Amino acid sequence: MAWFGTRVYIGAQWTVMRSPDGSMTWTEITAANPFPGTVAVAMSFRRANGSLDGRFFATRTVGGLAQASFLVRDLTVPNSTSGWFFLTSSPSPVVPAANIFWARDADHVSVIHVPIQQLAADGFPLGDAAAKPPPPPPPPPPAPLASISRPPSTQLWADALFGKDRSQGVLELFERAESAAGEGRPLEPSTFAEGVLVDDEAEEFRRRFREPPER
């Protein structure tokens, strides 16, 4: 199957903020599984300067034709942090989406869509770019991106993407997902979140605010 394998998605932005006046921002990320088999997903976050933000991290198994949601917020006052994030899936692709919400108060909420780019193992974009001739090889990226385009399932790749404290756990989850898919058996449910609200917790937080009007 051509879609089998680990995929990396880069979100152009995430942000959390809370001000003494009560206004705040948070970021919501979804991963929809379009295939019947279970997929494992992992999320890590970088600050605008490229350093890993260890406050926020999550892994989750997503059943066939299901969706997982993740919500990143910081309720300390004052705070303001922004950067970009990675969402990684194995053994098959997901359909990711992300939005940044800004709430002046519970009744006045606006939303900004976040572009997400999917990369192949060699670091080249997939999607629309796949229909065009491949571009010339890019120059080596600066640290900490230098190891991220390496093929999956290597310790160096995982260390660069998730940090050394969490890379081994993510690799083990991906290996279990790949083994289950190869044997045609279900993958046991699994969720781990640090600083991230997942699924029902994310929905409970969202209910505090009026939905922004559709455009």
Side-chain angles (χ1 to χ4, degrees), residues 37-112:
T38 302
V39 65
V41 299
M43 301 191 59
S44 61
F45 297 81
R46 297 277 175 176
R47 294 175 181 263
N49 64 4
S51 64
L52 186 71
D53 194 323
R55 298 174 299 165
F56 307 112
F57 174 78
T59 61
R60 170 84 151 79
T61 57
V62 185
L65 309 178
Q67 176 176 294
S69 59
F70 307 87
L71 190 150
V72 184
R73 88 292 187 246
D74 186 348
L75 299 182
T76 59
V77 180
N79 78 74
S80 179
T81 309
S82 63
W84 35 275
F85 66 87
F86 292 110
L87 188 154
T88 310
S89 71
S90 183
S92 55
V94 293
V95 181
N99 292 291
I100 295 172
F101 291 81
W102 174 47
R104 288 177 289 167
D105 51 48
D107 295 320
H108 298 87
V109 182
S110 57
V111 60
I112 302 171

Side-chain angles (χ1 to χ4, degrees), residues 35 86 99 120 122 128 133 138 156 163 175 179 190 197 199 203 210:
F35 299 104
F86 292 110
N99 292 291
D122 60 5
D128 293 342
L156 287 176
E175 288 170 359
S179 176
S190 172
L197 301 181
D199 296 336
E203 177 63 26
R210 178 175 295 179

Side-chain angles (χ1 to χ4, degrees), residues 72-207:
V72 184
R73 88 292 187 246
D74 186 348
L75 299 182
T76 59
V77 180
N79 78 74
S80 179
T81 309
S82 63
W84 35 275
F85 66 87
F86 292 110
L87 188 154
T88 310
S89 71
S90 183
S92 55
V94 293
V95 181
N99 292 291
I100 295 172
F101 291 81
W102 174 47
R104 288 177 289 167
D105 51 48
D107 295 320
H108 298 87
V109 182
S110 57
V111 60
I112 302 171
H113 176 67
V114 177
I116 295 179
Q117 177 67 68
Q118 182 182 178
L119 299 184
D122 60 5
F124 288 134
L126 299 174
D128 293 342
K132 303 176 182 179
L145 294 179
S147 300
I148 288 173
S149 63
R150 298 186 183 188
S153 300
T154 68
Q155 194 67 52
L156 287 176
W157 174 86
D159 288 349
L161 203 56
F162 308 109
K164 292 184 178 181
D165 292 340
R166 298 184 173 113
S167 60
Q168 189 59 42
V170 175
L171 284 177
E172 291 174 356
L173 176 63
F174 285 178
E175 288 170 359
R176 292 197 300 271
E178 292 167 5
S179 176
E183 297 173 5
R185 56 180 174 81
L187 179 67
E188 68 277 7
S190 172
T191 300
F192 176 82
E194 189 166 331
V196 178
L197 301 181
V198 180
D199 296 336
D200 291 344
E201 292 179 335
E203 177 63 26
E204 181 180 354
F205 178 87
R206 192 182 304 110
R207 282 199 296 264

